[in-house]
Amino acid sequence: MSDKLSVAVGLPSMGKVHILWAHTYANYLWPVSIERHTLILVGVPIATARNNIAGTAMDRGIKYVFFVDDDVLIPSHVPRRLLSMMEENDEWDAITGIYPTKTAPPEPLIFGGDSNGTGSYRDWRMGEVFPVWGAGLGCCVIRVSAFDKIQEPYFAFTEETDGMNVSNVGEDLYFFRKLADAGGVVMADGGSLCAHMDRDKDTVYSLSKETKAYRNAIPEFLADPISATVPDVAVQSVITKQE
């Protein structure tokens, strides 16, 4: 594995993307002198796509995988921020931006405490960087060496049962549970706040100023004009009607 700052930008997609997503993606900011490999898989089942992207990154000796989902709106400063923090913290295996469910009210797709639990983790402050055991993979940087700690497949859909009820486990939590069991270190960045888009409804879901995380935000976050862009309303339509 090379020490050069290289990243595989993994874009698993089912095809067409929204113009708003395309605009945010085009404006990403990256660290200085980074080597980028853009890996796009269209129409491939999501777990298969993620496994293929991880395998390609390993084969090419790339240092990081940055997964970007095509319905997650990532602010321009976030790629540079997340990768820079990974470069400063060699013991971290992954760091995730934070985005919510596509529900009303939206819930943050991060998970803390015991890896057997799947409830949304809320005891955090906007602006802080803190440990979690799992998250959604829509805005996540993974150190490629982390894949050496676990066995293939790295990503898969599974079912769990307690003898009465059956629940599905997505490819994201499947990966993070394996990494947690291997002693991996996963961080969440409360300064990398992303939105989640329902393209069928032209609706964007965000963590708003109504949340506990915002009410408890660290002062440095609130004073930052770039990071501290938090909407007043959690659910917004992106359709603009002309009179």
Side-chain angles (χ1 to χ4, degrees):
M1 187 68 60
S2 173
D3 286 332
K4 65 184 177 183
L5 180 49
S6 55
V7 60
V9 183
L11 300 172
S13 175
M14 296 311 294
K16 296 180 180 179
V17 299
H18 197 281
I19 184 62
L20 186 57
W21 181 89
H23 175 73
T24 60
Y25 181 78
N27 285 283
Y28 288 176
L29 301 175
W30 301 96
V32 173
S33 301
I34 192 171
E35 176 187 291
R36 277 189 289 145
H37 303 244
T38 303
L39 306 179
I40 303 174
L41 279 81
V42 179
V44 178
I46 187 68
T48 302
R50 295 200 196 281
N51 281 310
N52 288 346
I53 290 167
T56 300
M58 296 174 76
D59 291 343
R60 294 185 184 180
I62 297 172
K63 192 171 186 179
Y64 301 107
V65 169
F66 180 24
F67 280 121
V68 176
D69 284 1
D70 65 4
D71 61 353
V72 175
L73 305 179
I74 301 174
S76 60
H77 71 283
V78 168
R80 181 161 61 192
R81 177 179 168 98
L82 295 181
L83 286 161
S84 295
M85 284 194 286
M86 287 293 286
E87 285 286 274
E88 294 290 341
N89 296 275
D90 295 338
E91 71 278 13
W92 294 359
D93 293 293
I95 188 168
T96 181
I98 301 175
Y99 62 97
T101 56
K102 291 184 279 189
T103 60
E107 302 178 78
L109 277 169
I110 51 174
F111 307 96
D114 192 316
S115 61
N116 289 320
T118 56
S120 180
Y121 182 62
R122 299 175 185 274
D123 292 328
W124 56 282
R125 307 170 69 193
M126 288 187 180
E128 74 170 330
V129 181
F130 55 96
V132 293
W133 73 259
L137 283 168
C139 175
C140 186
V141 176
I142 301 171
R143 196 179 303 274
V144 171
S145 59
F147 296 116
D148 293 329
K149 298 182 178 182
I150 60 179
Q151 294 184 339
E152 297 185 71
Y154 309 120
F155 307 94
F157 284 92
T158 60
E159 289 186 348
E160 294 182 349
T161 180
D162 59 6
M164 297 181 61
N165 303 301
V166 176
S167 60
N168 295 317
V169 176
E171 90 291 350
D172 42 16
L173 297 191
Y174 175 88
F175 165 74
F176 281 117
R177 280 181 172 164
K178 292 180 76 169
L179 186 59
D181 290 343
V185 177
V186 179
M187 306 297 290
D189 177 26
S192 293
L193 304 177
C194 309
H196 210 174
M197 169 171 270
D198 186 327
R199 290 170 295 197
D200 294 334
K201 298 178 180 178
D202 280 306
T203 302
V204 174
Y205 298 81
S206 306
L207 297 175
S208 71
K209 293 180 180 178
E210 300 170 353
T211 61
K212 180 167 65 174
Y214 179 82
R215 295 195 303 270
N216 295 331
I218 63 174
E220 292 83 1
F221 173 82
L222 296 176
D224 184 349
I226 297 177
S227 299
T229 305
V230 181
D232 295 319
V233 180
V235 183
Q236 304 177 65
S237 172
V238 298
I239 297 177
T240 301
K241 295 182 179 180
Q242 294 184 347
E243 299 296 334

